[in-house]
Amino acid sequence: MKLRDLAKWGSALVLGFAIGAASAKLPPPSEEAKAKAAEAKAKADEAAKKDAESLAKSQDRVADRYKKQQKSKPATVASSKK
């Protein structure tokens, strides 16, 4: 056998193992695992909510600062001469 043929068979073998592993079914999680997952999801949701609130507050501060800066600038008039 040539080295090239051996590499093709090796690739096919690895692909076969990957497909077999992907199609394997895991056992259902236990009640304890489900509870831990639910608790972790609740913590993640709460953290995401706090992050979103913090982001909204900082965006409001930036918007207010921008509005104040725009009010304090003198109005400029663009010339329409060409």
Side-chain angles (χ1 to χ4, degrees), residues 13-63:
L13 188 62
V14 169
L15 181 62
F17 282 132
I19 290 172
S23 65
K25 291 186 178 182
L26 296 174
S30 66
E31 293 300 318
E32 183 179 319
K34 288 180 185 178
K36 283 184 179 181
E39 183 179 338
K41 184 180 182 313
K43 284 183 181 180
D45 289 346
E46 186 65 29
K49 183 179 176 183
K50 286 181 182 179
D51 288 345
E53 289 173 357
S54 176
L55 177 62
K57 286 180 183 178
S58 63
Q59 288 174 337
D60 288 342
R61 285 195 308 265
V62 170

Side-chain angles (χ1 to χ4, degrees), residues 67-78:
K67 289 176 186 177
K68 286 179 185 177
Q69 287 175 351
Q70 294 304 312
K71 285 181 182 178
S72 66
K73 283 186 178 180
T76 57
V77 178

